[in-house]
Each structure stands twice: as C-alpha cells, then as structure tokens.
C-alpha cells in the first residue's frame, strides 16, 4: 500500500488536483454574512473578492477538527501510512489542531502512522511541496523519503508577493498596522515575503512595472537553477499580471514549467484582490 498525502485548502491547489490524485483535502472556513463556507468546496475566490470590493470583509477559521478526526480514524482503521503537508502554523491554528487530533487517534490506534509537516509556507509555496510529495508517493518512494524531501523543499521555499492594499492583512492580524500604513497611497506597491512562516514586508515600490522588475531581480538574487525547477505563480483576480509574470520568468530564466493557480477563498480573504505571488526554491536537493 502506498503513502497517502493529505493537504489543506491554503495550499491553493485546484480542487481537481485533490480529486485526480486522491489527496485528502481539509478545507479552511470562510465566514461571510453570517454564513460559513468551506474553501474550495462551497465558495469560490471570486465571491470573496466581490464581497471585499463592496466593503464586506470576510473572516476565516481553521480546518474542522471533526474533519481531521474522521480522516485520521479512517486511515488508522485501514492501516494506511500518511503525510499531512500543512499550511504555516504562524498563519493558522490548523496545524496545531491536526497534531492534537492525531495524538487522540493514536491513543485509540497505537499503530496509526501519520507524519504532519509544518511547512511554514503559504499558498502555492505549500502547494509546490504537496505536488512534489504526490509525485514521490506515486513513484513508490518510502514515507521517510517523502517526508525528508518535503521538509527540505519547505525549508528552501521562497515566497515573494505583492498586495494592492496591506490593510486587509493588517485587519486579519497577518501584518502589523504600522507596516500597512501608507501602503495604498501614491501607487505604492508593498512587496512581502515569508520568514519562518510569518509575513514580513520587504520594501515598497512605486508602480506596477517597477514592482515586476524588482521581483525578477529578487528571483535572481534568491533563486537557484531556475531552469531546473518548477516555479509557481498565484494571483487574486489578476490573471493578466500572472501571465505577464510567467512570460518574464520563462524569458529571463528558461524555467521549463510555471504553474499558475488562483489564490483560494481563505487566503484571498486576507490578501484581497490584486495580489500576485511567486514561489521558487533557493536550493535544490
């Protein structure tokens, strides 16, 4: 029996990926107008962006403990080995809840064999780790090999992203209000990255063209062997910029595979529309 891969919706992979590769999905929750939705399953990103543009800011919560309990118990009963590749513990309580539920299941089923990886990654930064783990599992690699590869990849994952309005992140507690100050004025585009699982503002750049040029410069500085790895781009209702970024990356680095996917409803609730993100490795195995 192969190794089962599990992931949450904050990996921002399409629903089809989970279905086609038999990856267990744990949706984060999105709350709008007093109703609770499951990211990727019962709400789409566009609905979130439309609400934000109309001044109605959604809230989010972690994946369901009951969902973890059901999936983990089923694995334990079936004696399946599994690896859950989780969204950063610094941005959600989902990882901690999964660990707690896993320990509960292990009390009842001592042979339960699940590894839970805190990637300290977000969006397709986490998604790239999931994709690679799925490939490794399908190739018949051992659980230990897949875990080691996933941990290495997560530790060397770079995140560069820009939001139209830092205020969304500040209101959700993802960056400080001081960092958000003046972000939306004078066509200033804030550029951020992820350090130890947390969102950290890097610099503020005036104008979209300068922003894209600066992102390319930073990919040069931080990336390695861009012509030998998959790069991912996620966007919040801005496919035009995502495609432009894809063209720039392909031309500049000769990157053979560039994966584009929309930012999901959960993460999009905090970043707001207009966000553009790029993910790549700063070291290869």
């Amino acid at each position: 029996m192969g190794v089962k891969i599990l992931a949450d919706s904050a990996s921002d992979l399409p629903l089809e990926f989970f279905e086609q590769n038999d990856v267990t999905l744990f949706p984060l929750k999105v709350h709008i107008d007093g109703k609770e939705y499951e990211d990727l399953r019962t709400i789409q990103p566009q609905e979130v962006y439309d609400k934000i543009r109309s001044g109605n800011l959604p809230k989010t919560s972690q994946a369901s403990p009951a969902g973890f309990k059901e999936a983990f118990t089923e694995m334990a009963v079936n004696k399946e080995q599994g690896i859950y590749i989780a969204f950063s513990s610094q941005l959600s309580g989902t990882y901690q809840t999964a660990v707690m539920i896993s320990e509960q299941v292990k009390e009842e089923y001592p042979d339960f064999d699940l590894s839970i990886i805190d990637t300290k990654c977000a969006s397709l930064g986490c998604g790239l780790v999931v994709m690679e783990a799925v490939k490794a599992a399908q190739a018949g690699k051992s659980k230990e090999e897949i875990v080691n590869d996933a941990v290495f990849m997560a530790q060397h994952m770079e995140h560069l992203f820009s939001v139209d309005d830092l205020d969304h992140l500040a209101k959700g507690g993802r960056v400080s209000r001081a960092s958000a100050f003046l972000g939306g004025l004078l066509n200033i585009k804030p550029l951020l990255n992820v350090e130890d699982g947390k969102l950290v503002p890097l610099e503020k750049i005036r104008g979209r063209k300068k922003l894209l040029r600066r992102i390319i410069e930073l990919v040069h500085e931080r990336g390695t062997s861009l012509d030998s790895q998959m790069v991912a781009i996620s966007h919040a209702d801005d496919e035009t910029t995502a495609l432009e970024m894809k063209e720039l990356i392909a031309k500049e680095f000769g990157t053979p595979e560039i994966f584009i996917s929309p930012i999901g409803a959960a993460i999009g609730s905090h970043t707001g529309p207009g966000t553009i993100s790029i993910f790549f490795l700063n070291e290869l195995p």
Side-chain angles (χ1 to χ4, degrees), residues 18 28 62 271:
F18 289 89
L28 275 68
Q62 62 182 272
T271 65

Side-chain angles (χ1 to χ4, degrees), residues 20-194:
Q20 292 169 5
N21 294 284
D22 192 29
V23 176
T24 299
L25 167 64
F26 300 115
L28 275 68
K29 304 297 180 65
V30 179
H31 306 265
I32 303 176
D33 297 330
K35 295 180 181 178
E36 182 181 88
Y37 300 90
E38 290 190 334
D39 184 17
L40 215 58
R41 282 188 176 150
T42 60
I43 189 169
Q44 297 304 312
Q46 192 61 51
E47 298 172 64
V48 167
Y49 303 137
D50 290 345
K51 288 289 184 182
I52 291 174
R53 287 183 175 118
S54 67
N56 188 350
L57 295 181
K59 293 184 178 180
T60 62
S61 58
Q62 62 182 272
S64 159
F68 285 130
K69 186 69 178 289
E70 181 182 354
F72 293 172
T73 301
E74 182 180 339
M75 285 180 59
V77 169
N78 294 334
K79 300 187 184 306
E80 292 179 296
Q81 288 185 311
I83 303 169
Y84 170 33
I85 298 170
F87 180 38
S88 173
S89 63
Q90 299 297 312
L91 298 172
S92 169
T94 295
Y95 165 78
Q96 287 91 344
T97 297
V99 170
M100 179 184 71
I101 299 298
S102 176
E103 290 170 353
Q104 291 175 4
V105 172
K106 199 167 182 64
E107 288 178 8
E108 189 174 353
Y109 301 91
D111 294 332
F112 178 47
D113 187 5
L114 176 71
S115 295
I116 303 178
I117 299 172
D118 178 7
T119 62
K120 303 288 181 72
C121 297
S123 188
L124 287 180
C126 182
L128 282 174
V129 181
V130 175
M131 292 171 78
E132 195 60 35
V134 167
K135 284 182 189 175
Q138 291 173 346
K141 282 194 174 185
S142 70
K143 180 167 173 280
E144 183 181 11
E145 287 176 311
I146 300 170
V147 167
N148 289 341
D149 290 349
V151 168
F152 178 92
M153 195 169 179
Q155 289 174 340
H156 293 280
M157 187 64 65
E158 292 283 349
H159 303 58
L160 293 173
F161 65 103
S162 179
V163 297
D164 262 2
D165 188 351
L166 269 175
D167 229 24
H168 297 308
L169 289 169
K171 286 174 182 174
R174 267 57 184 185
V175 297
S176 72
R177 290 196 175 275
S179 296
F181 182 62
L182 290 180
L185 299 181
L186 303 173
N187 196 25
I188 289 175
K189 300 290 186 182
L191 185 60
L192 302 91
N193 74 340
V194 171

